Amino acid sequence: MGPRGGRGLYVGRRAAALLAALLLALLAALLILAALYGRCRQEAPTLPPSSSSYSSSSPASPAAPSTVPAPGAGSGRRLPRHLLPLHYDLELWPQVRPGQAGPFAFSGQVNITVRCRQDTDEAVLHSSGLRILGGAVVRGLLPEPGAAVEVARLRQEAAGEVAVMELRGRLRAGRRYVLQLGFQGRLEEDLDGLFLTRYTDQGRSSMLIASQLEPTYARRVYPCFDEPAMKATFNIRIVHDPSYVALSNMPAIEVSEMKDENGSLWTVTTFNTSLKMSTYLTAFVICDFDYVTRTERGNEIRIWARKEAVKNGYVDYALNITGPIFSFLEDFLNISYPLPKTDLVALPDFGAGAMENWGLMTFQESSLMYLPSDKFTSRKAMIAIIVSHELGHQWFGNLVTMNWWNDLWLNEGLASYFEYLGAAFVEPKLSLDKIFYDHVVQPVLREDNEIGLRSLSENEDKIKGSFSLMSLFDSITYNKGASITWMLSGFLTEKFFIRALTSYLKEFSFSNANQDDLWTCIQMVIDAQNEVELPASVKQIMDSWTCQNGFPVLTLNLTTGTISQEQFLNKKNENNTDSYNNTWIIPISWMRNGSSQPLMWLDKSSKVFPEMQVSESEYDWILLNVNLSGYYRVNYDQLNLKRLARLLENDPKAIPAVSRFQLIDDLFALTQFGYIQIETALELTKYLAREDELFIWNVVLLNLVPENLESTLKNYEVYPLLKKYLLKRMLPIYHYYAGLIRQNVDALEDDYFAQVYLEKLFATACWLGLQDCLNLSSELYAKWMDQPEHKIPFLIRRTVCCYGVAVGSDKEWNFAWEMYNHTDSTKEDKDILLFAMSCAKESWLLYRYLQYGLSDSLFSSNCTSIIILYVVTKDIGHRIAWEFVTEYWPLLSERYGNELLHDVLKVMGRFINTDVQIQELQVFYNATLEEDERVATTLLLEFTKFENMERRELLIRVANWLQKNVDD
């Protein structure tokens, strides 16, 4: 299960000083805003966001069950260890018939065999939102005298998410007992626990039931010991409508029939006994799907999906790669997959994105479906990465599970590492290292730099009580966990790393582990060989990376050969109470004059490396952290930077592509955080005319032309200089790809980064006014207008549609409107066209578009706010959109409340440079907002003004530098 994180705007030092002066008021204001405007969202895998160097009841029976309210995930208490579960006999009965209107409920019975470890007069287990039916029973495993213990009272504690069975006698240590409970719950459409979802298949409406139990939703489905270390085996039986098929973790061993009290017929599917596993991995799907199947090394693999999708071959690709990835992981780890079958189910609606349930993995269907007509690899790559991640979990998470959620990275970080190895195995044309650094390492380096962020592994005591476990499913756990694993594999060498992982998996199979257990397994492997020498124990090295937040920046002095380290933090705030005193044990891979050098270690705050002292020759240069093998940034002295800049201009290939990517990203990050001046970073962009790697160009453009500032940059004197400077360097790579777009776009079907990042390159070229880009957009758009069946290449479709409308007239706009309303238009097409229609350069067209947005007959209500926000971000649209919002505010406020105003103000804030502009906005919101909201908004606008003033000063410096270098 997984998310990828986001990034905030860079806040400058002077702006920060203002913020400090207003701190108390602003904190209060932000609390108000959070209450007013806060949005709830599911965590899900996302692409790396942009960055900027300029920016900072009813149920089964007639009476509905009276349920205990279910708090949010992770609010329950830890269970006592008096009882340990050994085995569950579980029956689930969702009372759902096809076409039934609802509301719905489910009922069930669970018999839990436990071992008593300590005498106790109560049995405590998890239960949330369930109604316990009848009387709970505690009996001995065998019908012997004194084995049964009477239950005096069953108490449910909603806050702790537990059910407490108060007993009249005592359970005795060493004995086994069976806890018997009947239960009932609501079947909601909330995508958590056991849920119902509706979808359309082959033109008819259908329903299915599925589950999502991680992290703590199993207790919403059946009373259980819902902690990852309380593993047990399961016998599962599902009662369901005969028209559906039921799936669970293990293969079905019997399908029978039964009648309910009304004489209605139901099907009963019984499944084989499971392996020992955690409750969050139990899974249930009841559906009317079809499947495709193949067998790999005795493992029956089935991909389930809507009948229409199966018939059209949409899941064939997923089927074709799942078996090979399984075999790859088995061979790589030298441990066989222990289940006889694997089901992968494509759910039309699924909040978690994907879930690794043992033997029954569930996916959002878009994560599993590939259209056979799609020639391009980026879609395949995404599917391969997601499938590989969940398959990696079959070992890391399912076979060996973290002891508690504080070490979630042992599940998610390791699975995130293996997802790229598995994907590269089935798609060998993917540039594994480039994709890993671009999608994993670089995004988390952009986030993992604030004092308030947590460490990768937290103290177990911190992850309990009201702490939301869902907050752990973040980019720190996934991306930092994968990055640290990559670094670990690098300095151990893959041979010893995999040997250690195999030892770890075998030692803790069907059990649990914490990160110290992993370190111990690695240490044992290291101690048994003499090829790899470490400066300290594995635990000492790795705890420095997992037990403190953030990461280091290394500063290299070439004259003395000194390397120092400090935590990479914004220079405006260097307070840190970290118990590790901001010191890491750092592996340094390095290169001198193009030759790789032996690995070095920095195990103190500063150290002299005589090997890194350079001569006076301008051709003597040093490169640290080659290919981003370590999780840190590097700050070079001016001498080395000048030599690297000269090298890049003369022979850019002398530096590996990933290291060029890293060098540029590090420099812009160092600029943003006050370590170096912007001019230093700009010096390393001079060579870009010779740069042919799109993923490197992408990181350059995200820093120099961030999407959230495109409309405002045109208001600064830097724009014509930036236009001249960038276009001169962009032309070679632009013309290469423009030629392929015109003549042979199919040649790009294996170019992953073209499919991911070509859009940004072309959008920037058109934004900078490159005539060939504008002409190409007009040509492709006109061809589409003449022959609508011939789609614009998807690699640049958004840009072409935008600029096709922008350079055209109402004719082009009207065609976009016509195609938006075309019945064959996909959701993706509609999203692109919604955006494109906001690109018009005629004011009356934008105003008409906004007027259309108010019409319920033309747009669904949620589109209106999207249209407004698209228009307000355009250079000529922000005033038009603002005037439209003020004119129609009563209607808009009724539909969207103040949240829309907040979003619009955030965009308008980019254009604020003076008090007069703030006062203009105040006139409006003083009449529409409550006093506390006005205070909060005023403070944020003041803060934005100072940020904009600081940005203006920065852009003046950029303009001065460009003035001197634009003709170089």
Side-chain angles (χ1 to χ4, degrees):
M1 197 171 76
R4 299 288 188 265
R7 303 178 195 144
L9 287 175
Y10 163 60
V11 180
R13 291 156 98 176
R14 288 175 52 190
L18 170 74
L19 180 60
L22 298 171
L23 184 59
L24 293 177
L26 184 55
L27 284 174
L30 289 175
L31 287 172
I32 294 164
L33 279 175
L36 289 169
Y37 306 124
R39 297 175 178 175
C40 248
R41 64 178 180 88
Q42 286 279 353
E43 293 287 357
T46 62
L47 285 174
S50 61
S51 60
S52 162
S53 66
Y54 303 146
S55 61
S56 44
S57 101
S58 176
S61 54
S66 127
T67 59
V68 178
S75 60
R77 78 185 210 201
R78 297 291 296 272
L79 296 179
R81 290 305 189 261
H82 301 144
L83 303 176
L84 286 183
L86 303 174
H87 179 77
Y88 292 76
D89 284 299
L90 173 63
E91 178 184 280
L92 284 178
W93 185 358
Q95 286 93 6
V96 176
R97 300 287 196 183
Q100 192 176 340
F104 303 100
F106 64 92
S107 60
Q109 173 73 33
V110 65
N111 299 341
I112 312 172
T113 302
V114 300
R115 184 175 75 249
C116 183
R117 300 177 69 230
Q118 182 179 335
D119 287 8
T120 180
D121 59 2
E122 65 179 21
V124 185
L125 66 165
H126 284 116
S127 176
S128 177
L130 297 175
R131 176 187 177 191
I132 306 300
L133 301 175
V137 175
V138 177
R139 62 174 176 82
L141 196 58
L142 297 173
E144 56 189 31
V149 179
E150 186 179 350
V151 179
R153 184 166 78 104
L154 180 76
R155 185 177 78 253
Q156 292 188 263
E157 298 177 4
E161 298 186 342
V162 295
V164 181
M165 303 166 72
E166 299 177 358
L167 309 176
R168 297 197 187 276
R170 295 180 71 80
L171 305 182
R172 299 299 179 182
R175 289 191 176 183
R176 296 186 179 191
Y177 299 88
V178 179
L179 314 182
Q180 299 180 335
L181 299 101
F183 55 91
Q184 192 175 46
R186 296 183 187 276
L187 193 59
E188 307 284 5
E189 298 184 43
D190 58 0
L191 306 183
D192 290 322
L194 191 67
F195 62 88
L196 181 142
T197 185
R198 305 172 191 272
Y199 64 97
T200 301
D201 189 10
Q202 296 178 327
R204 64 182 183 87
S205 297
S206 301
M207 298 185 295
L208 66 80
I209 298 162
S211 63
Q212 169 57 31
L213 306 188
E214 188 182 28
T216 55
Y217 297 121
R219 64 192 68 175
R220 294 191 183 184
V221 182
Y222 58 99
C224 57
F225 295 81
D226 196 15
E227 295 186 10
M230 291 184 151
K231 290 189 171 184
T233 56
F234 291 78
N235 280 344
I236 294 171
R237 187 168 76 156
I238 299 178
V239 182
H240 56 94
D241 184 87
S243 66
Y244 293 135
V245 62
L247 306 173
S248 189
N249 305 83
M250 300 298 289
I253 56 174
E254 183 184 0
V255 178
S256 59
E257 294 180 344
M258 61 166 273
K259 291 184 178 180
D260 61 21
E261 58 188 12
N262 298 319
S264 296
L265 193 66
W266 296 85
T267 295
V268 182
T269 302
T270 304
F271 300 91
N272 212 342
T273 305
S274 79
L275 301 175
K276 190 177 179 184
M277 64 184 185
S278 305
T279 50
Y280 79 85
L281 292 172
T282 55
F284 324 99
V285 173
I286 303 169
C287 63
D288 182 23
F289 277 1
D290 277 348
Y291 67 90
V292 290
T293 184
R294 65 181 281 180
T295 300
E296 183 93 5
R297 296 183 179 178
N299 176 14
E300 183 189 11
I301 299 167
R302 299 182 297 185
I303 314 285
W304 297 80
R306 290 179 294 110
K307 295 176 179 180
E308 185 175 35
V310 172
K311 179 181 178 181
N312 291 332
Y314 295 167
V315 294
D316 290 353
Y317 176 73
L319 179 69
N320 292 336
I321 65 171
T322 300
I325 295 173
F326 258 126
S327 297
F328 166 76
L329 291 171
E330 285 185 326
D331 294 341
F332 202 68
L333 298 167
N334 196 26
I335 294 179
S336 298
Y337 177 67
L339 272 65
K341 70 91 176 177
T342 305
D343 289 313
L344 291 77
V345 184
L347 299 174
D349 196 9
F350 189 48
M355 181 62 203
E356 66 267 18
N357 315 300
W358 220 353
L360 179 57
M361 287 171 268
T362 46
F363 298 79
Q364 165 62 246
E365 68 172 22
S366 62
S367 300
L368 210 58
M369 290 189 183
Y370 176 76
L371 276 62
S373 60
D374 189 347
K375 299 177 182 178
F376 295 96
T377 58
S378 58
R379 181 74 183 164
K380 284 185 177 179
M382 185 272 288
I383 295 169
I385 287 170
I386 293 172
V387 170
S388 294
H389 182 97
E390 304 312 324
L391 295 185
H393 271 308
Q394 307 307 297
W395 286 266
F396 300 100
N398 298 6
L399 184 63
V400 179
T401 312
M402 78 269 143
N403 194 57
W404 184 242
W405 301 102
N406 62 309
D407 278 331
L408 179 62
W409 81 270
L410 293 176
N411 283 20
E412 299 298 351
L414 287 167
S416 296
Y417 170 79
F418 278 99
E419 74 185 40
Y420 287 90
L421 300 186
F425 177 76
V426 293
E427 291 293 340
K429 293 179 181 178
L430 293 176
S431 300
L432 171 63
D433 56 344
K434 296 174 186 177
I435 294 174
F436 187 82
Y437 300 127
D438 184 78
H439 289 4
V440 178
V441 185
Q442 191 253 10
V444 74
L445 284 174
R446 287 271 168 181
E447 295 178 42
D448 189 23
N449 48 41
E450 296 295 337
I451 293 173
L453 282 178
R454 62 178 182 84
S455 58
L456 185 58
S457 178
E458 291 281 9
N459 187 296
E460 187 171 327
D461 292 339
K462 288 186 178 181
I463 316 299
K464 64 179 184 180
S466 61
F467 190 100
S468 174
L469 296 182
M470 287 307 298
S471 68
L472 296 175
F473 292 82
D474 61 3
S475 65
I476 298 297
T477 293
Y478 286 74
N479 288 5
K480 184 174 183 177
S483 301
I484 296 301
T485 304
W486 188 282
M487 180 176 69
L488 177 62
S489 174
F491 71 73
L492 291 177
T493 72
E494 186 179 274
K495 176 175 68 172
F496 295 120
F497 176 61
I498 296 304
R499 189 177 298 175
L501 284 185
T502 300
S503 172
Y504 166 77
L505 290 170
K506 288 181 177 178
E507 177 71 21
F508 297 99
S509 288
F510 308 105
S511 185
N512 299 78
N514 57 39
Q515 73 170 17
D516 281 352
D517 295 318
L518 177 58
W519 306 154
T520 299
C521 290
I522 296 173
Q523 189 68 57
M524 291 172 66
V525 168
I526 293 302
D527 290 346
Q529 56 80 50
N530 54 16
E531 296 177 38
V532 175
E533 293 184 13
L534 301 180
S537 70
V538 173
K539 176 176 170 56
Q540 286 176 306
I541 295 170
M542 294 310 298
D543 279 1
S544 75
W545 296 95
T546 62
C547 294
Q548 63 178 344
N549 67 302
F551 60 88
V553 54
L554 305 192
T555 300
L556 170 64
N557 184 315
L558 282 190
T559 305
T560 63
T562 302
I563 299 181
S564 59
Q565 65 164 293
E566 61 181 302
Q567 184 165 0
F568 184 70
L569 291 169
N570 197 319
K571 286 293 189 178
K572 71 187 181 191
N573 185 356
E574 295 180 350
N575 296 325
N576 197 333
T577 58
D578 198 288
S579 62
Y580 276 78
N581 198 28
N582 301 15
T583 302
W584 289 257
I585 302 177
I586 307 171
I588 303 175
S589 60
W590 65 296
M591 175 184 287
R592 182 167 186 164
N593 306 335
S595 298
S596 296
Q597 304 296 315
L599 185 73
M600 300 287 205
W601 288 88
L602 179 62
D603 55 2
K604 55 185 72 173
S605 59
S606 182
K607 190 175 181 178
V608 176
F609 296 89
E611 306 93 326
M612 294 190 188
Q613 294 177 351
V614 297
S615 67
E616 294 183 2
S617 169
E618 65 181 38
Y619 300 105
D620 198 2
W621 52 271
I622 300 286
L623 188 71
L624 302 186
N625 200 14
V626 178
N627 283 329
L628 238 177
S629 55
Y631 186 69
Y632 52 89
R633 294 196 185 277
V634 179
N635 183 13
Y636 297 103
D637 61 12
Q638 287 297 316
L639 176 61
N640 200 47
L641 281 175
K642 286 180 180 177
R643 294 180 180 182
L644 290 174
R646 186 180 295 111
L647 176 67
L648 285 171
E649 291 187 62
N650 294 327
D651 183 17
K653 301 292 184 181
I655 298 178
V658 169
S659 289
R660 301 199 302 274
F661 169 89
Q662 169 207 358
L663 189 57
I664 291 172
D665 189 58
D666 278 358
L667 284 172
F668 279 110
L670 289 164
T671 297
Q672 291 178 15
F673 276 44
Y675 288 83
I676 63 174
Q677 301 301 315
I678 185 65
E679 292 86 351
T680 302
L682 291 170
E683 285 291 332
L684 263 81
T685 65
K686 289 182 177 180
Y687 89 98
L688 284 171
R690 302 188 64 181
E691 183 54 75
D692 58 4
E693 292 278 3
L694 265 179
F695 83 113
I696 297 175
W697 265 104
N698 187 67
V699 78
V700 170
L701 297 179
L702 288 179
N703 280 286
L704 291 179
V705 191
E707 291 179 11
N708 65 334
L709 291 182
E710 283 185 359
S711 55
T712 51
L713 279 178
K714 283 193 173 182
N715 297 329
Y716 292 102
E717 56 271 32
V718 74
Y719 177 76
L721 295 167
L722 188 66
K723 172 180 178 177
K724 186 175 181 181
Y725 180 82
L726 266 183
L727 283 181
K728 181 178 179 180
R729 286 155 178 81
M730 285 176 65
L731 283 178
I733 193 169
Y734 166 81
H735 282 308
Y736 171 76
Y737 282 106
L740 289 175
I741 291 291
R742 283 188 168 104
Q743 298 165 18
N744 185 20
V745 69
D746 289 347
L748 297 175
E749 64 182 41
D750 291 324
D751 189 335
Y752 174 81
F753 283 114
Q755 295 158 47
V756 177
Y757 292 139
L758 193 58
E759 188 87 70
K760 176 64 177 177
L761 184 80
F762 272 66
T764 304
C766 284
W767 176 77
L768 290 170
L770 180 62
Q771 194 58 50
D772 188 75
C773 185
L774 298 174
N775 291 343
L776 179 58
S777 297
S778 293
E779 291 168 19
L780 293 175
Y781 194 85
K783 185 176 181 181
W784 185 38
M785 289 177 66
D786 290 340
Q787 299 173 293
E789 66 277 8
H790 293 301
K791 294 286 184 79
I792 298 165
F794 92 94
L795 294 80
I796 56 169
R797 189 175 298 163
R798 186 179 177 93
T799 297
V800 168
C801 287
C802 176
Y803 285 94
V805 169
V807 301
S809 63
D810 58 334
K811 178 183 176 183
E812 282 73 17
W813 194 98
N814 290 337
F815 179 76
W817 173 249
E818 178 188 339
M819 296 309 295
Y820 176 86
N821 289 291
H822 201 281
T823 55
D824 291 339
S825 293
T826 66
K827 182 182 184 300
E828 184 181 14
D829 290 336
K830 288 180 179 291
D831 290 342
I832 288 172
L833 290 167
L834 269 182
F835 170 76
M837 287 184 285
S838 73
C839 298
K841 296 299 183 184
E842 297 282 350
S843 299
W844 70 272
L845 280 173
L846 291 178
Y847 190 79
R848 185 180 74 176
Y849 187 32
L850 292 167
Q851 290 279 356
Y852 282 3
L854 290 177
S855 171
D856 291 333
S857 62
L858 297 178
F859 287 105
S860 61
S861 61
N862 64 323
C863 284
T864 312
S865 60
I866 295 172
I867 292 169
I868 293 170
L869 291 173
Y870 276 153
V871 173
V872 80
T873 56
K874 301 299 186 293
D875 47 0
I876 70 161
H878 73 277
R879 294 300 312 176
I880 297 169
W882 176 249
E883 290 170 2
F884 179 82
V885 168
T886 57
E887 181 180 357
Y888 290 97
W889 181 246
L891 177 59
L892 293 171
S893 177
E894 183 180 338
R895 285 190 187 177
Y896 304 105
N898 290 336
E899 186 176 2
L900 173 63
L901 178 60
H902 177 61
D903 288 341
V904 170
L905 285 172
K906 281 197 298 186
V907 178
M908 291 297 294
R910 301 174 194 168
F911 301 89
I912 292 174
N913 291 297
T914 67
D915 290 332
V916 172
Q917 289 171 314
I918 290 181
Q919 289 165 7
E920 183 183 353
L921 298 180
Q922 281 178 323
V923 170
F924 173 71
Y925 69 72
N926 281 346
T928 58
L929 299 179
E930 299 296 326
E931 183 178 357
D932 51 358
E933 298 168 329
R934 293 199 300 269
V935 171
T937 305
T938 300
L939 281 171
L940 289 177
L941 289 175
E942 286 282 355
F943 182 63
T944 302
K945 183 188 77 171
F946 274 84
E947 274 200 310
N948 292 346
M949 290 171 62
E950 183 188 55
R951 184 182 297 118
R952 186 177 184 84
E953 291 178 12
L954 179 65
L955 289 173
I956 289 171
R957 292 175 56 189
V958 172
N960 290 336
W961 185 90
L962 288 171
Q963 192 76 52
K964 299 172 186 174
N965 295 277
V966 72
D967 293 320
D968 286 359

